[in-house]
Amino acid sequence: MSETHEHYIDGEWVPGEGAETFESYNPANGEALGTFHRATEADVERAVAAAEAAFDEWRDLSYIDRAEYLWEVYYELRERHEELGTVVTKECGKEISEGKADVAEAWHMVEWAAGDARHPQGDVVPSEVAAKDAYMRRSPRGVTGCITPWNFPVAIPFWHMAVTLVHGNTVVWKPAEQTPLCGQIIAEMMVDAGIPDGVFNMVQGFGDAGAAIVDDERVDSVLFTGSAEVGHEIQLKVAEEPGKQVACEMGGKNNVIVTENADMEMAVHSAVMSSFKTTGQRCVSSERLVVHTDVYDEFKERFVEVAENVAVGDPLEEGTFMGPLIEAQHVEKVTSYNELARTEGVNVLVDRTELDDDEIPEGHEDGHWVGPFVYEADPDADLRCIQEEVFGPHVALLEYEGDVDRAIEIHNDTNYGLAGAIISEDYRQIHRFRDHAEIGLKYANLPCIGAEVQLPFGGVKKSGNGYPSAREVVEAVTERTAFTLNNSKEIEMAQGLSADIKTRED
Ligand code: ADP
């Protein structure tokens, strides 16, 4: 029997208290990739206790000493690029260039965090009183619970953990249940780097283990990336616990605007990338294309042509553009939204919900296949299909008339606010979008996907609070504290406050 992978708690590989195990499967062909112990509440409790116990010693190291461990991970990520990129593709179904990009993004974040250890980490602040030196200093918040999704199974864990660790926090991480093998390899890298016992802990499991992390009162900060449904539940729970903080990055119902001044080549290329890359399973994927009436027919014809022909298939093959969906349940969800769109009376233009048999690569009959679904709808109609996040290749064309403000009005008419793009050759339209689009990630003449770690990443409205990336994650995992030193023998207060002590004799 092949080995059952374990949790990594307090410097040891352990099977945990529970009897249950679970499997990881390749979504392209159903192949089993590994068996994993499923964490219980007791396992989470042990991991949190270990992280709490390790905190004092870890926070006392210098930034640079802490970063040394991360540099080891950086080199291993680079050395194992090809191998780990292939594991990403096998476990989550993204085509191979995306699998490898996931690993590259991970080392970019590790590089940022470890390099940042040699940068200033606070501010020297003027005081009203000349004899006082005042500073803003950062302190680590403590135990950080990191809960990550399957779609960037290597990159997102490092978005959460790299900066967090360099800043002196300890970590309890739960990888997504769909991508535990990536989790296992990352944990092995942390072990190879010699990270001290208890500083990094990983529990493999499902939502109940994630919830146990959130609920544990010894957890000081929670970083979550995943669905809006779960994220909102976590935000509510954390709000009830004074002192605990959460940074959530959740979903979107993202738009690409194509104005009457768009370069059509750029428009079609950007829209296809935004809607179909990762088979629509990025939180930044676009399910709404808002297109000006003057260019609507041309755009529609060209977009539909690509959607009908875009290559769906084995993600390990370089000729593939779209791999499978992550799991059978997700095929059901996407299919039901495609059906809902029909029920809601939209005009369907492309329906590849069920692929033809000859489109499915040999030996991949058990994969979770779905192709593009494209329709046109009235942007003002009250339709669930143009408002709710599907997280698949489900795309609405929304035609508009008038100026760019009308496009922006349609763009902003969703509860979400994550990513979006405008395609236009007119800088005034672009600036209007930049200033008025209610989203966290804005692009012009580009797809609305393709984050880089050194930029903020996150949404507004229902899409999130806090920004689990590079510089911004620092805010979530540190406290900004003030320190003031008096260099004088006298006490002098700010705001003209008297420092005289008066007694009854005075
Ligand atoms: P997705 O739809 O992308 O799978 P989820 O929000 O369901 O997104 O999952 C993202 C991460 O959150 C996963 O690691 C998952 O196990 C975890 N999770 C799911 N439910 C909960 C919960 N109630 N509390 C905490 N974590 C959870």
Side-chain angles (χ1 to χ4, degrees), residues 5-9 11-15 183-185 187-188 191 202:
H5 297 293
E6 299 183 316
H7 315 293
Y8 186 71
I9 300 176
E12 281 181 83
W13 291 102
V14 291
Q184 169 72 23
I185 295 172
E188 286 169 9
V191 176
M202 178 198 63

Side-chain angles (χ1 to χ4, degrees), residues 51 55 139-145 164 168-171 218-221 477:
F55 177 55
S139 325
R141 286 181 48 77
V143 178
T144 308
T164 300
N169 302 279
T170 54
V171 160
R218 294 164 299 179
V219 171
D220 301 287
S221 322
V477 297

Side-chain angles (χ1 to χ4, degrees), residues 389-409:
E389 185 188 37
V390 179
F391 214 58
H394 168 110
V395 189
L397 301 192
L398 306 173
E399 183 176 358
Y400 77 97
E401 285 175 27
D403 63 15
V404 72
D405 285 347
R406 169 67 179 136
I408 295 169
E409 179 187 40

Side-chain angles (χ1 to χ4, degrees), residues 344-356:
E344 290 188 311
V346 304
N347 184 30
V348 177
L349 302 169
V350 178
D351 186 353
R352 294 172 70 195
T353 310
E354 279 187 40
L355 295 182
D356 294 339

Side-chain angles (χ1 to χ4, degrees), residues 147-148 150 174-177 206-207 210-211 224-227 230 233-234:
I147 302 170
T148 55
W150 61 265
K174 193 197 82 62
E177 56 271 33
F206 288 67
F224 169 82
T225 305
S227 64
V230 173
E233 186 186 315
I234 293 176

Side-chain angles (χ1 to χ4, degrees), residues 65-95:
D65 285 345
R66 289 192 296 257
E68 287 301 327
Y69 295 100
L70 272 295
W71 282 121
E72 295 296 322
V73 174
Y74 169 83
Y75 290 117
E76 195 170 345
L77 281 166
R78 292 199 74 138
E79 269 161 32
R80 297 176 66 183
H81 187 196
E82 194 75 29
E83 172 208 342
L84 188 50
T86 306
V87 174
V88 170
T89 287
K90 282 192 175 173
E91 201 172 35
C92 85
K94 303 201 277 199
E95 56 86 11

Side-chain angles (χ1 to χ4, degrees), residues 276 279 303-313 321-322 331 334-335 338 342 348-356 358-360 369-374 393:
F276 300 136
T279 319
F303 184 78
V304 161
E305 160 95 28
V306 181
E308 266 166 357
N309 293 298
V310 75
V312 185
F321 191 78
M322 282 171 51
V331 175
V334 172
T335 305
N338 294 354
R342 280 190 189 280
V348 177
L349 302 169
V350 178
D351 186 353
R352 294 172 70 195
T353 310
E354 279 187 40
L355 295 182
D356 294 339
D358 62 355
E359 285 188 89
I360 295 169
W369 303 108
V370 157
F373 182 82
V374 182

